[in-house]
Amino acid sequence: MSESPVVPKQNDAATRPGLIRVALQSPSFMIGIVLTLCFTLAALVSFVWTPFDVTQLVISDKLKTPSGLHWFGTDNFGRDIFSMVMVGARTSIAVALIAVSIGICAGVPLGLLAAARHGSLLDEVIMRTNDLVFAFPALLMAIMITAVFGPGAINAIIAIGIFNIPVFARLARGAALSLWTRDYVLAARVSGKGPARISAEHILPNITNLLIVQGTIQFSLGILAEAGLAYVGLGTQPPLPSWGRMLSDAQTMIYIAPHMAIFPGLAIVFTVLGLNLMGDGMRDIFDPKLRRAR
Amino acid sequence: MALLEIDKLSLSIRDIPILRDVNLSVEAGQVLGVVGESGSGKSITAMAIMQLLPVGAQWTGSVRLDGRGLEDCSEKDMCGLRGNDIGMVFQEPMTALNPVQTIGEQVAETILVHTGKSRREALQLARQALNRVDLPEEQFPLDRYPHDLSGGQRQRVVIAMAIALRPKLLIADEPTTALDVTTQAQILKLLKGLVEQDGMGLILITHDLAVVAEMADHIAIMKDGEVVEAGETLDLFRRMEHPYTKALFKASSHIPVRNAAHVAERGQSVLEVSKVVRDYPLPRRSLFKAPGHFRAVDHVTLSINRGENVGLVGESGCGKSTLTRAILALDSVQGGEIRLDGSLFSTRGSGPDRDMRRHVQVVFQDPYSSFNPRHRVGRLISEPFFLLDNPPVGEERQRRIDTALENVGLEAADAQKYIHEFSGGQRQRIAIARALIIEPSLIVLDEAVSALDVSIRAQILDLLAELSDRLAISYLFISHDLSVVRAITDRVLVMKSGQIVEEGPTEEVFLNPRHSYTRELLAATPILDEALKAREARAQTG
């Protein structure tokens, strides 16, 4: 009785027509995309060109307010803040990207494994270990790691990455559990396929949407975490610029040179906002139920 | 004057025409059966009467309830009518009730909204309404929650909500489709009784001709948004002027042509299930006691011969799905053994090896969740090749995919399409192709035609019968629908509470049931011919 020739039933995003058209109709998604592209572009350009060299100290030019020459002004060592924000974008994106990759590469297989062995001791062990890791915020984890290995960008990446693992493991397990009860998974089991093969062929492709959306959100959280770690001095070390450290350097000068804090602060706000809007927009586009409601 | 009169109702949603010139009328105290296949517009007609139309819907024509035109009613007026003058019963009792409210509150809510009565009075009226639907106070106090009740009891609560204010008109949209046959018979009897007591008009929307033949005074047959034939029940079945009515009638009582003589010739047994036990552990009650278990399948023994079609019938919860999963070796068994083609397939503590799985395949009930939406049909139906040691490759593989598709009446070119491009009936054909492709000796059909419209169902049954005759495949046909089982099987097993209570050649069991449960099931099943005969007898005496 579920057949209806009037309204064709469409279940999956991959085969639905007009995905791009829907994306264009969602203004918040478009704002998110544009913001994200701006910062990615700034990060990429910084590899080949910045207005000024970020390692060059020009003490005579220190604490200049924004002008035609120094768009965002200069800091207390006379470095160009616009150039530093560009290079800082590179650091932020690199740290967050690698951390999210660690989370996906370790978390998703763990989640799929737990779902495939649902109810077993292995499932319990994986998920309870996840809970344990989840109980420590990334910042605390980073402090622990730096206490042992010393501060640095690599250790920040590891700390944020470990924090991401339980997020993806839980998401993958939850989504996979509902797919394991589908008839097509039963049919695959009748065809003699084992849990590993079913997870790869039938489960993973059908949860990719969710993972992409969560990946975007985690990416923005990663940028925030990196800024936070750098702010307390546990992340990227000088002379490489980082948004978080620029903020902490600006703290003592906030009354003399507010532009030193404003521009890296705005960079963090807009990047995180852009990524979150993009993630929300993607979730709406991928989810046919939410889309119909609009 | 009729209670409800629909005159030339046309409806479109976003400029797509859905209904065209629908004329219906219901007298007080009478039952109008609206019959049609999915997409015929029968549910949207009900929604138009309730004025609960989706966004973008526009309608013309007139709907008059008790002389009052609904086209002039504002939304506020309609809120006064809904629940008060028009009640509605939905198909799915599991989702029609709010799980966090007691049944008393939910029935009282309608009363509180429409009358100025106090909470106490409303609860009293709710009690009366529940009594009227045979949920007596001793067993079903008002503070029960929906999860305490079975499906049939929940549907009674939904009916109590609909009739609490004694509406003039009750609309029941597939009220029994989700229920077992014995429960269906009880609910239908209840509805009929309420119509007679209250002088309500009842619109019974269903896909089942047998149900309306028993229940309805008038019938309207709908197809593609139009009423193709309408009239007094007996007259309509006698005349059957419209070809669609005839086709629907034929499809409802369709029996595929089978050459059953071959079964005796090929005497080898394909499946032998002996004394199989399947237990589910119950939650641990105490730290020091071993957790108990629920025995879903209790020492079941059955066998199927080559080319034989065996039916397994029973109500929901009788263990037939659990038995299916055990036979497919999806779950391990706690006792007994399952043999396929003579060799051990599954027994306590050991599952099957890959080679053995090749002998059995399965077709599921829901054609919409049976396929991974991201694969093409060619890849979907070739999935069982995984069971072969040397799966065919290249041209040979393509040839076998083409053959499998052609065997089920599709085209070789369909292998390149995605599953969402097919209708429910076509999807079920693809599911059969997937089961056929490695030429198993046994196919388990788990409610394989239950979700299909009658005309599609007839085609699939023909296809199954033809395949079984031609390829000597055995079927284990699991269903709650006795008429379908009767049409296609040679032998039937009746299951109740985890045990087989009766077994025998299909016709013998149906004509001469020995176990009381089988008799109960048969008596509850609406049968079109018998309902018409009974009606005719009544018409002559009365």
Side-chain angles (χ1 to χ4, degrees), chain A residues 180 182-193 198 202, chain B residues 328 330 357 360-364 369-371 380 383-384 387 431 434:
Chain A
W180 268 97
R182 293 285 170 93
D183 285 346
Y184 59 79
V185 173
L186 283 184
R189 287 178 64 197
V190 171
S191 297
K193 291 189 174 167
I198 290 177
H202 293 295
Chain B
L328 292 169
L330 291 172
R357 280 202 184 273
V360 57
Q361 283 292 311
V362 63
V363 177
F364 294 104
S369 78
S370 295
F371 300 98
L380 287 172
E383 186 159 42
L387 290 167
R434 172 168 67 186

PDB file of all heavy atoms in Angstrom, chain A residues 180 182-193 198 202, chain B residues 328 330 357 360-364 369-371 380 383-384 387 431 434:
ATOM      1  N   TRP A 180      21.622  -1.660  10.160  1.00  0.00           N
ATOM      2  CA  TRP A 180      21.797  -3.116  10.274  1.00  0.00           C
ATOM      3  C   TRP A 180      20.472  -3.853  10.297  1.00  0.00           C
ATOM      4  O   TRP A 180      20.415  -5.051  10.037  1.00  0.00           O
ATOM      5  CB  TRP A 180      22.595  -3.463  11.532  1.00  0.00           C
ATOM      6  CG  TRP A 180      24.064  -3.549  11.257  1.00  0.00           C
ATOM      7  CD1 TRP A 180      24.971  -2.565  11.465  1.00  0.00           C
ATOM      8  CD2 TRP A 180      24.782  -4.651  10.701  1.00  0.00           C
ATOM      9  NE1 TRP A 180      26.213  -2.992  11.064  1.00  0.00           N
ATOM     10  CE2 TRP A 180      26.131  -4.264  10.603  1.00  0.00           C
ATOM     11  CE3 TRP A 180      24.424  -5.929  10.281  1.00  0.00           C
ATOM     12  CZ2 TRP A 180      27.110  -5.100  10.088  1.00  0.00           C
ATOM     13  CZ3 TRP A 180      25.409  -6.773   9.777  1.00  0.00           C
ATOM     14  CH2 TRP A 180      26.724  -6.352   9.682  1.00  0.00           C
ATOM     15  N   ARG A 182      17.963  -3.096   8.332  1.00  0.00           N
ATOM     16  CA  ARG A 182      17.324  -3.013   7.023  1.00  0.00           C
ATOM     17  C   ARG A 182      17.322  -4.381   6.330  1.00  0.00           C
ATOM     18  O   ARG A 182      18.245  -5.178   6.507  1.00  0.00           O
ATOM     19  CB  ARG A 182      18.062  -2.020   6.118  1.00  0.00           C
ATOM     20  CG  ARG A 182      17.976  -0.599   6.567  1.00  0.00           C
ATOM     21  CD  ARG A 182      16.596  -0.034   6.273  1.00  0.00           C
ATOM     22  NE  ARG A 182      16.412   1.253   6.913  1.00  0.00           N
ATOM     23  CZ  ARG A 182      16.666   2.402   6.315  1.00  0.00           C
ATOM     24  NH1 ARG A 182      17.110   2.423   5.087  1.00  0.00           N
ATOM     25  NH2 ARG A 182      16.480   3.522   6.952  1.00  0.00           N
ATOM     26  N   ASP A 183      16.318  -4.565   5.476  1.00  0.00           N
ATOM     27  CA  ASP A 183      16.211  -5.835   4.767  1.00  0.00           C
ATOM     28  C   ASP A 183      17.393  -6.064   3.830  1.00  0.00           C
ATOM     29  O   ASP A 183      17.789  -7.196   3.597  1.00  0.00           O
ATOM     30  CB  ASP A 183      14.899  -5.885   3.975  1.00  0.00           C
ATOM     31  CG  ASP A 183      13.711  -6.109   4.889  1.00  0.00           C
ATOM     32  OD1 ASP A 183      13.949  -6.490   6.051  1.00  0.00           O
ATOM     33  OD2 ASP A 183      12.572  -5.899   4.460  1.00  0.00           O
ATOM     34  N   TYR A 184      17.948  -4.967   3.258  1.00  0.00           N
ATOM     35  CA  TYR A 184      19.039  -5.233   2.317  1.00  0.00           C
ATOM     36  C   TYR A 184      20.296  -5.725   3.014  1.00  0.00           C
ATOM     37  O   TYR A 184      21.097  -6.436   2.404  1.00  0.00           O
ATOM     38  CB  TYR A 184      19.316  -4.053   1.381  1.00  0.00           C
ATOM     39  CG  TYR A 184      19.703  -2.728   1.987  1.00  0.00           C
ATOM     40  CD1 TYR A 184      20.985  -2.478   2.437  1.00  0.00           C
ATOM     41  CD2 TYR A 184      18.768  -1.700   2.050  1.00  0.00           C
ATOM     42  CE1 TYR A 184      21.329  -1.233   2.947  1.00  0.00           C
ATOM     43  CE2 TYR A 184      19.100  -0.467   2.560  1.00  0.00           C
ATOM     44  CZ  TYR A 184      20.375  -0.235   3.004  1.00  0.00           C
ATOM     45  OH  TYR A 184      20.716   0.974   3.504  1.00  0.00           O
ATOM     46  N   VAL A 185      20.431  -5.392   4.287  1.00  0.00           N
ATOM     47  CA  VAL A 185      21.551  -5.954   5.038  1.00  0.00           C
ATOM     48  C   VAL A 185      21.293  -7.436   5.329  1.00  0.00           C
ATOM     49  O   VAL A 185      22.188  -8.271   5.206  1.00  0.00           O
ATOM     50  CB  VAL A 185      21.780  -5.154   6.336  1.00  0.00           C
ATOM     51  CG1 VAL A 185      22.812  -5.827   7.200  1.00  0.00           C
ATOM     52  CG2 VAL A 185      22.217  -3.745   6.004  1.00  0.00           C
ATOM     53  N   LEU A 186      20.024  -7.753   5.647  1.00  0.00           N
ATOM     54  CA  LEU A 186      19.673  -9.170   5.846  1.00  0.00           C
ATOM     55  C   LEU A 186      19.933  -9.963   4.564  1.00  0.00           C
ATOM     56  O   LEU A 186      20.479 -11.057   4.602  1.00  0.00           O
ATOM     57  CB  LEU A 186      18.197  -9.294   6.231  1.00  0.00           C
ATOM     58  CG  LEU A 186      17.838  -8.941   7.667  1.00  0.00           C
ATOM     59  CD1 LEU A 186      16.369  -9.204   7.903  1.00  0.00           C
ATOM     60  CD2 LEU A 186      18.675  -9.743   8.641  1.00  0.00           C
ATOM     61  N   ALA A 187      19.537  -9.360   3.426  1.00  0.00           N
ATOM     62  CA  ALA A 187      19.742 -10.045   2.149  1.00  0.00           C
ATOM     63  C   ALA A 187      21.228 -10.285   1.911  1.00  0.00           C
ATOM     64  O   ALA A 187      21.619 -11.339   1.407  1.00  0.00           O
ATOM     65  CB  ALA A 187      19.139  -9.230   1.016  1.00  0.00           C
ATOM     66  N   ALA A 188      22.055  -9.309   2.279  1.00  0.00           N
ATOM     67  CA  ALA A 188      23.497  -9.483   2.113  1.00  0.00           C
ATOM     68  C   ALA A 188      24.016 -10.585   3.031  1.00  0.00           C
ATOM     69  O   ALA A 188      24.896 -11.357   2.656  1.00  0.00           O
ATOM     70  CB  ALA A 188      24.220  -8.164   2.409  1.00  0.00           C
ATOM     71  N   ARG A 189      23.424 -10.685   4.236  1.00  0.00           N
ATOM     72  CA  ARG A 189      23.853 -11.758   5.141  1.00  0.00           C
ATOM     73  C   ARG A 189      23.454 -13.117   4.598  1.00  0.00           C
ATOM     74  O   ARG A 189      24.201 -14.086   4.720  1.00  0.00           O
ATOM     75  CB  ARG A 189      23.249 -11.544   6.531  1.00  0.00           C
ATOM     76  CG  ARG A 189      23.892 -10.390   7.279  1.00  0.00           C
ATOM     77  CD  ARG A 189      23.233 -10.188   8.616  1.00  0.00           C
ATOM     78  NE  ARG A 189      23.409 -11.337   9.489  1.00  0.00           N
ATOM     79  CZ  ARG A 189      22.669 -11.550  10.580  1.00  0.00           C
ATOM     80  NH1 ARG A 189      21.711 -10.703  10.897  1.00  0.00           N
ATOM     81  NH2 ARG A 189      22.877 -12.599  11.322  1.00  0.00           N
ATOM     82  N   VAL A 190      22.246 -13.167   3.989  1.00  0.00           N
ATOM     83  CA  VAL A 190      21.817 -14.421   3.363  1.00  0.00           C
ATOM     84  C   VAL A 190      22.774 -14.771   2.227  1.00  0.00           C
ATOM     85  O   VAL A 190      22.992 -15.926   1.918  1.00  0.00           O
ATOM     86  CB  VAL A 190      20.358 -14.302   2.878  1.00  0.00           C
ATOM     87  CG1 VAL A 190      19.970 -15.493   2.035  1.00  0.00           C
ATOM     88  CG2 VAL A 190      19.433 -14.156   4.054  1.00  0.00           C
ATOM     89  N   SER A 191      23.369 -13.749   1.596  1.00  0.00           N
ATOM     90  CA  SER A 191      24.345 -13.995   0.548  1.00  0.00           C
ATOM     91  C   SER A 191      25.715 -14.326   1.124  1.00  0.00           C
ATOM     92  O   SER A 191      26.704 -14.335   0.391  1.00  0.00           O
ATOM     93  CB  SER A 191      24.472 -12.777  -0.360  1.00  0.00           C
ATOM     94  OG  SER A 191      23.254 -12.550  -1.004  1.00  0.00           O
ATOM     95  N   GLY A 192      25.781 -14.554   2.425  1.00  0.00           N
ATOM     96  CA  GLY A 192      27.016 -15.035   3.021  1.00  0.00           C
ATOM     97  C   GLY A 192      28.061 -13.971   3.276  1.00  0.00           C
ATOM     98  O   GLY A 192      29.212 -14.289   3.539  1.00  0.00           O
ATOM     99  N   LYS A 193      27.692 -12.706   3.160  1.00  0.00           N
ATOM    100  CA  LYS A 193      28.703 -11.669   3.376  1.00  0.00           C
ATOM    101  C   LYS A 193      28.929 -11.444   4.860  1.00  0.00           C
ATOM    102  O   LYS A 193      27.998 -11.448   5.653  1.00  0.00           O
ATOM    103  CB  LYS A 193      28.263 -10.370   2.712  1.00  0.00           C
ATOM    104  CG  LYS A 193      28.308 -10.508   1.205  1.00  0.00           C
ATOM    105  CD  LYS A 193      28.084  -9.212   0.479  1.00  0.00           C
ATOM    106  CE  LYS A 193      28.286  -9.437  -1.011  1.00  0.00           C
ATOM    107  NZ  LYS A 193      27.802  -8.332  -1.815  1.00  0.00           N
ATOM    108  N   ILE A 198      29.896  -6.171   4.726  1.00  0.00           N
ATOM    109  CA  ILE A 198      28.608  -5.469   4.770  1.00  0.00           C
ATOM    110  C   ILE A 198      28.819  -4.027   5.229  1.00  0.00           C
ATOM    111  O   ILE A 198      28.258  -3.092   4.665  1.00  0.00           O
ATOM    112  CB  ILE A 198      27.620  -6.215   5.688  1.00  0.00           C
ATOM    113  CG1 ILE A 198      27.189  -7.526   5.033  1.00  0.00           C
ATOM    114  CG2 ILE A 198      26.390  -5.359   5.976  1.00  0.00           C
ATOM    115  CD1 ILE A 198      26.288  -8.375   5.873  1.00  0.00           C
ATOM    116  N   HIS A 202      27.549  -1.728   2.377  1.00  0.00           N
ATOM    117  CA  HIS A 202      26.162  -1.290   2.575  1.00  0.00           C
ATOM    118  C   HIS A 202      26.011  -0.220   3.640  1.00  0.00           C
ATOM    119  O   HIS A 202      25.132   0.623   3.538  1.00  0.00           O
ATOM    120  CB  HIS A 202      25.281  -2.483   2.938  1.00  0.00           C
ATOM    121  CG  HIS A 202      25.137  -3.469   1.820  1.00  0.00           C
ATOM    122  ND1 HIS A 202      24.513  -3.164   0.643  1.00  0.00           N
ATOM    123  CD2 HIS A 202      25.551  -4.743   1.699  1.00  0.00           C
ATOM    124  CE1 HIS A 202      24.548  -4.213  -0.162  1.00  0.00           C
ATOM    125  NE2 HIS A 202      25.180  -5.194   0.457  1.00  0.00           N
TER     126      HIS A 202
ATOM    127  N   LEU B 328      17.000 -19.319   7.720  1.00  0.00           N
ATOM    128  CA  LEU B 328      17.993 -18.620   6.898  1.00  0.00           C
ATOM    129  C   LEU B 328      19.352 -18.578   7.593  1.00  0.00           C
ATOM    130  O   LEU B 328      20.296 -18.013   7.062  1.00  0.00           O
ATOM    131  CB  LEU B 328      17.525 -17.194   6.631  1.00  0.00           C
ATOM    132  CG  LEU B 328      16.301 -17.047   5.740  1.00  0.00           C
ATOM    133  CD1 LEU B 328      15.784 -15.644   5.777  1.00  0.00           C
ATOM    134  CD2 LEU B 328      16.640 -17.454   4.321  1.00  0.00           C
ATOM    135  N   LEU B 330      20.207 -16.784  10.006  1.00  0.00           N
ATOM    136  CA  LEU B 330      20.575 -15.427  10.422  1.00  0.00           C
ATOM    137  C   LEU B 330      20.753 -15.388  11.938  1.00  0.00           C
ATOM    138  O   LEU B 330      21.506 -14.589  12.461  1.00  0.00           O
ATOM    139  CB  LEU B 330      19.498 -14.428  10.003  1.00  0.00           C
ATOM    140  CG  LEU B 330      19.362 -14.171   8.507  1.00  0.00           C
ATOM    141  CD1 LEU B 330      18.149 -13.320   8.212  1.00  0.00           C
ATOM    142  CD2 LEU B 330      20.607 -13.508   7.965  1.00  0.00           C
ATOM    143  N   ARG B 357      24.939 -21.967   2.162  1.00  0.00           N
ATOM    144  CA  ARG B 357      24.010 -20.843   2.023  1.00  0.00           C
ATOM    145  C   ARG B 357      23.461 -20.713   0.613  1.00  0.00           C
ATOM    146  O   ARG B 357      22.392 -20.176   0.394  1.00  0.00           O
ATOM    147  CB  ARG B 357      24.713 -19.543   2.395  1.00  0.00           C
ATOM    148  CG  ARG B 357      24.808 -19.300   3.876  1.00  0.00           C
ATOM    149  CD  ARG B 357      24.998 -17.827   4.138  1.00  0.00           C
ATOM    150  NE  ARG B 357      25.182 -17.538   5.551  1.00  0.00           N
ATOM    151  CZ  ARG B 357      24.176 -17.328   6.382  1.00  0.00           C
ATOM    152  NH1 ARG B 357      22.936 -17.377   5.935  1.00  0.00           N
ATOM    153  NH2 ARG B 357      24.397 -17.079   7.653  1.00  0.00           N
ATOM    154  N   VAL B 360      19.720 -21.610  -0.250  1.00  0.00           N
ATOM    155  CA  VAL B 360      18.521 -20.926   0.214  1.00  0.00           C
ATOM    156  C   VAL B 360      18.657 -19.417   0.014  1.00  0.00           C
ATOM    157  O   VAL B 360      19.712 -18.841   0.216  1.00  0.00           O
ATOM    158  CB  VAL B 360      18.209 -21.277   1.696  1.00  0.00           C
ATOM    159  CG1 VAL B 360      19.365 -20.936   2.590  1.00  0.00           C
ATOM    160  CG2 VAL B 360      16.953 -20.592   2.178  1.00  0.00           C
ATOM    161  N   GLN B 361      17.579 -18.792  -0.471  1.00  0.00           N
ATOM    162  CA  GLN B 361      17.558 -17.342  -0.635  1.00  0.00           C
ATOM    163  C   GLN B 361      16.227 -16.823  -0.100  1.00  0.00           C
ATOM    164  O   GLN B 361      15.348 -17.605   0.261  1.00  0.00           O
ATOM    165  CB  GLN B 361      17.740 -16.947  -2.106  1.00  0.00           C
ATOM    166  CG  GLN B 361      19.183 -17.053  -2.581  1.00  0.00           C
ATOM    167  CD  GLN B 361      20.074 -16.018  -1.913  1.00  0.00           C
ATOM    168  OE1 GLN B 361      19.770 -14.842  -1.850  1.00  0.00           O
ATOM    169  NE2 GLN B 361      21.203 -16.480  -1.377  1.00  0.00           N
ATOM    170  N   VAL B 362      16.090 -15.497  -0.044  1.00  0.00           N
ATOM    171  CA  VAL B 362      14.938 -14.940   0.646  1.00  0.00           C
ATOM    172  C   VAL B 362      14.375 -13.728  -0.104  1.00  0.00           C
ATOM    173  O   VAL B 362      15.099 -13.024  -0.804  1.00  0.00           O
ATOM    174  CB  VAL B 362      15.320 -14.552   2.103  1.00  0.00           C
ATOM    175  CG1 VAL B 362      16.380 -13.478   2.112  1.00  0.00           C
ATOM    176  CG2 VAL B 362      14.122 -14.120   2.910  1.00  0.00           C
ATOM    177  N   VAL B 363      13.060 -13.516   0.009  1.00  0.00           N
ATOM    178  CA  VAL B 363      12.413 -12.294  -0.481  1.00  0.00           C
ATOM    179  C   VAL B 363      11.655 -11.695   0.699  1.00  0.00           C
ATOM    180  O   VAL B 363      10.882 -12.396   1.353  1.00  0.00           O
ATOM    181  CB  VAL B 363      11.430 -12.588  -1.636  1.00  0.00           C
ATOM    182  CG1 VAL B 363      10.720 -11.313  -2.066  1.00  0.00           C
ATOM    183  CG2 VAL B 363      12.166 -13.198  -2.813  1.00  0.00           C
ATOM    184  N   PHE B 364      11.904 -10.406   0.979  1.00  0.00           N
ATOM    185  CA  PHE B 364      11.291  -9.783   2.147  1.00  0.00           C
ATOM    186  C   PHE B 364       9.992  -9.070   1.797  1.00  0.00           C
ATOM    187  O   PHE B 364       9.654  -8.878   0.638  1.00  0.00           O
ATOM    188  CB  PHE B 364      12.252  -8.789   2.787  1.00  0.00           C
ATOM    189  CG  PHE B 364      13.465  -9.435   3.361  1.00  0.00           C
ATOM    190  CD1 PHE B 364      14.686  -9.359   2.717  1.00  0.00           C
ATOM    191  CD2 PHE B 364      13.387 -10.133   4.549  1.00  0.00           C
ATOM    192  CE1 PHE B 364      15.798  -9.957   3.236  1.00  0.00           C
ATOM    193  CE2 PHE B 364      14.507 -10.738   5.082  1.00  0.00           C
ATOM    194  CZ  PHE B 364      15.711 -10.646   4.425  1.00  0.00           C
ATOM    195  N   SER B 369      12.668  -1.230   1.543  1.00  0.00           N
ATOM    196  CA  SER B 369      13.891  -1.282   2.334  1.00  0.00           C
ATOM    197  C   SER B 369      14.747  -2.487   1.972  1.00  0.00           C
ATOM    198  O   SER B 369      15.734  -2.762   2.619  1.00  0.00           O
ATOM    199  CB  SER B 369      13.563  -1.288   3.830  1.00  0.00           C
ATOM    200  OG  SER B 369      13.140  -2.566   4.216  1.00  0.00           O
ATOM    201  N   SER B 370      14.365  -3.201   0.907  1.00  0.00           N
ATOM    202  CA  SER B 370      15.100  -4.421   0.568  1.00  0.00           C
ATOM    203  C   SER B 370      16.347  -4.169  -0.260  1.00  0.00           C
ATOM    204  O   SER B 370      17.078  -5.097  -0.558  1.00  0.00           O
ATOM    205  CB  SER B 370      14.201  -5.386  -0.208  1.00  0.00           C
ATOM    206  OG  SER B 370      13.156  -5.822   0.598  1.00  0.00           O
ATOM    207  N   PHE B 371      16.561  -2.919  -0.671  1.00  0.00           N
ATOM    208  CA  PHE B 371      17.697  -2.672  -1.563  1.00  0.00           C
ATOM    209  C   PHE B 371      18.523  -1.492  -1.093  1.00  0.00           C
ATOM    210  O   PHE B 371      17.984  -0.491  -0.639  1.00  0.00           O
ATOM    211  CB  PHE B 371      17.203  -2.391  -2.986  1.00  0.00           C
ATOM    212  CG  PHE B 371      16.418  -3.512  -3.561  1.00  0.00           C
ATOM    213  CD1 PHE B 371      15.036  -3.493  -3.535  1.00  0.00           C
ATOM    214  CD2 PHE B 371      17.059  -4.612  -4.090  1.00  0.00           C
ATOM    215  CE1 PHE B 371      14.310  -4.540  -4.040  1.00  0.00           C
ATOM    216  CE2 PHE B 371      16.332  -5.665  -4.590  1.00  0.00           C
ATOM    217  CZ  PHE B 371      14.958  -5.630  -4.568  1.00  0.00           C
ATOM    218  N   LEU B 380      22.904  -5.067  -7.461  1.00  0.00           N
ATOM    219  CA  LEU B 380      22.009  -5.528  -6.391  1.00  0.00           C
ATOM    220  C   LEU B 380      21.664  -6.996  -6.567  1.00  0.00           C
ATOM    221  O   LEU B 380      21.755  -7.782  -5.624  1.00  0.00           O
ATOM    222  CB  LEU B 380      20.725  -4.703  -6.379  1.00  0.00           C
ATOM    223  CG  LEU B 380      20.828  -3.275  -5.871  1.00  0.00           C
ATOM    224  CD1 LEU B 380      19.522  -2.544  -6.123  1.00  0.00           C
ATOM    225  CD2 LEU B 380      21.167  -3.258  -4.402  1.00  0.00           C
ATOM    226  N   GLU B 383      24.382  -9.808  -6.024  1.00  0.00           N
ATOM    227  CA  GLU B 383      25.014  -9.937  -4.714  1.00  0.00           C
ATOM    228  C   GLU B 383      25.219 -11.393  -4.281  1.00  0.00           C
ATOM    229  O   GLU B 383      26.282 -11.733  -3.764  1.00  0.00           O
ATOM    230  CB  GLU B 383      24.185  -9.182  -3.665  1.00  0.00           C
ATOM    231  CG  GLU B 383      24.855  -9.162  -2.315  1.00  0.00           C
ATOM    232  CD  GLU B 383      24.349  -8.050  -1.413  1.00  0.00           C
ATOM    233  OE1 GLU B 383      23.125  -7.840  -1.397  1.00  0.00           O
ATOM    234  OE2 GLU B 383      25.166  -7.413  -0.750  1.00  0.00           O
ATOM    235  N   PRO B 384      24.233 -12.294  -4.508  1.00  0.00           N
ATOM    236  CA  PRO B 384      24.451 -13.689  -4.075  1.00  0.00           C
ATOM    237  C   PRO B 384      25.605 -14.400  -4.785  1.00  0.00           C
ATOM    238  O   PRO B 384      26.024 -15.461  -4.330  1.00  0.00           O
ATOM    239  CB  PRO B 384      23.116 -14.374  -4.380  1.00  0.00           C
ATOM    240  CG  PRO B 384      22.121 -13.287  -4.376  1.00  0.00           C
ATOM    241  CD  PRO B 384      22.840 -12.098  -4.941  1.00  0.00           C
ATOM    242  N   LEU B 387      28.468 -15.982  -2.972  1.00  0.00           N
ATOM    243  CA  LEU B 387      28.466 -17.313  -2.375  1.00  0.00           C
ATOM    244  C   LEU B 387      29.187 -18.348  -3.233  1.00  0.00           C
ATOM    245  O   LEU B 387      29.466 -19.440  -2.771  1.00  0.00           O
ATOM    246  CB  LEU B 387      27.034 -17.779  -2.150  1.00  0.00           C
ATOM    247  CG  LEU B 387      26.264 -17.066  -1.054  1.00  0.00           C
ATOM    248  CD1 LEU B 387      24.806 -17.400  -1.144  1.00  0.00           C
ATOM    249  CD2 LEU B 387      26.819 -17.478   0.288  1.00  0.00           C
ATOM    250  N   ALA B 431      13.607  -8.256  -6.319  1.00  0.00           N
ATOM    251  CA  ALA B 431      13.964  -9.058  -5.141  1.00  0.00           C
ATOM    252  C   ALA B 431      13.922 -10.546  -5.491  1.00  0.00           C
ATOM    253  O   ALA B 431      14.771 -11.323  -5.049  1.00  0.00           O
ATOM    254  CB  ALA B 431      13.014  -8.752  -3.991  1.00  0.00           C
ATOM    255  N   ARG B 434      16.952 -11.410  -7.522  1.00  0.00           N
ATOM    256  CA  ARG B 434      18.136 -11.554  -6.667  1.00  0.00           C
ATOM    257  C   ARG B 434      18.165 -12.933  -5.999  1.00  0.00           C
ATOM    258  O   ARG B 434      19.217 -13.543  -5.863  1.00  0.00           O
ATOM    259  CB  ARG B 434      18.139 -10.455  -5.610  1.00  0.00           C
ATOM    260  CG  ARG B 434      19.224 -10.629  -4.571  1.00  0.00           C
ATOM    261  CD  ARG B 434      19.401  -9.414  -3.711  1.00  0.00           C
ATOM    262  NE  ARG B 434      18.245  -9.180  -2.858  1.00  0.00           N
ATOM    263  CZ  ARG B 434      18.103  -8.113  -2.091  1.00  0.00           C
ATOM    264  NH1 ARG B 434      19.018  -7.179  -2.082  1.00  0.00           N
ATOM    265  NH2 ARG B 434      17.036  -7.959  -1.349  1.00  0.00           N
TER     266      ARG B 434
END
